[in-house]
Amino acid sequence: MSNLRFVKQEKSTSAVSSMKVEDCFSADYDIYKVSIFDTQYGPSNTDVASLRVRFINSSGSTIITLYEAMNMNMKADATKDEDKFQDGAYFYSPVNIGNYENAGGMMYIYNPFSSSCHTVMTGEGAGGYDVSSNRGRSSKCAGFCKHLSSVTGIELYSGNASNTFQATVTVHGLRVDS
């Protein structure tokens, strides 16, 4: 029997610049797996849609400050990119959607519902753009939110609002048997 328990799924049915999955974290689990798949690039885009992540607190407000984050993009056509920051406005997501389409990734979210410890995120994914030039990407990311508040959802959004996307996001709780 699997230790993963289905919690919620959201799917964008048209090209969007942001997407929320609300009321998916609760006291039922301490660890959640968030899968992002079935992605499509917005039809009028000319660049990659590099997704960002923010948390939604129990009041329904998006937390837009105090993220500590790091990201590494490994590239098929060039040297890797590394970035990190403190007190930022988002986490990096592991998903870069380009005209390869069907990019995907997964994130693990630790202790989101607890208001007595920081919420931590780790992730990895793959995608790319410009198929003719072999510009595939894989990424690893991690970070934590310095707010001590109960987190009940996440928001995914494009780093550039004009670069739209479609995606399916599935949330599973990780049951730990004793």
Side-chain angles (χ1 to χ4, degrees):
M1 178 174 257
S2 172
N3 286 345
L4 289 177
R5 299 289 186 247
F6 176 79
V7 175
K8 190 169 196 174
Q9 183 176 73
E10 294 286 339
K11 182 174 184 162
S12 58
T13 56
S14 62
V16 296
S17 59
S18 71
M19 164 178 199
K20 292 183 178 184
V21 183
E22 298 181 274
D23 301 319
C24 59
F25 305 137
S26 69
D28 293 344
Y29 305 99
D30 292 329
I31 303 169
Y32 289 84
K33 179 182 178 181
V34 178
S35 302
I36 306 164
F37 59 98
D38 195 22
T39 61
Q40 293 182 14
Y41 196 52
S44 62
N45 293 346
T46 58
D47 195 7
V48 68
S50 181
L51 299 187
R52 309 285 192 242
V53 179
R54 290 181 180 154
F55 289 136
I56 300 169
N57 66 23
S58 58
S59 300
S61 299
T62 301
I63 300 170
I64 59 170
T65 60
L66 298 178
Y67 292 95
E68 308 278 318
M70 61 75 58
N71 185 58
M72 182 169 59
N73 274 318
M74 285 82 52
K75 301 177 178 183
D77 62 315
T79 57
K80 68 183 184 303
D81 288 335
E82 295 179 359
D83 193 22
K84 61 184 177 191
F85 57 79
Q86 297 177 335
D87 299 332
Y90 59 86
F91 286 134
Y92 291 103
S93 100
V95 179
N96 292 306
I97 307 167
N99 64 7
Y100 274 7
E101 299 193 345
N102 289 317
M106 66 175 193
M107 299 178 289
Y108 284 95
I109 312 292
Y110 303 88
N111 301 310
F113 199 71
S114 173
S115 59
S116 62
C117 57
H118 300 291
T119 301
V120 175
M121 184 277 293
T122 61
E124 58 186 45
Y129 67 99
D130 195 1
V131 256
S132 63
S133 297
N134 190 31
R135 292 187 175 164
R137 302 285 187 261
S138 63
S139 63
K140 291 255 191 196
C141 56
F144 70 95
C145 183
K146 291 167 65 174
H147 284 275
L148 289 174
S149 61
S150 183
V151 170
T152 57
I154 69 170
E155 176 186 26
L156 297 170
Y157 69 99
S158 178
N160 180 337
S162 64
N163 295 340
T164 58
F165 66 95
Q166 287 180 246
T168 300
V169 179
T170 301
V171 179
H172 288 85
L174 179 61
R175 186 184 77 190
V176 178
D177 293 327
S178 44

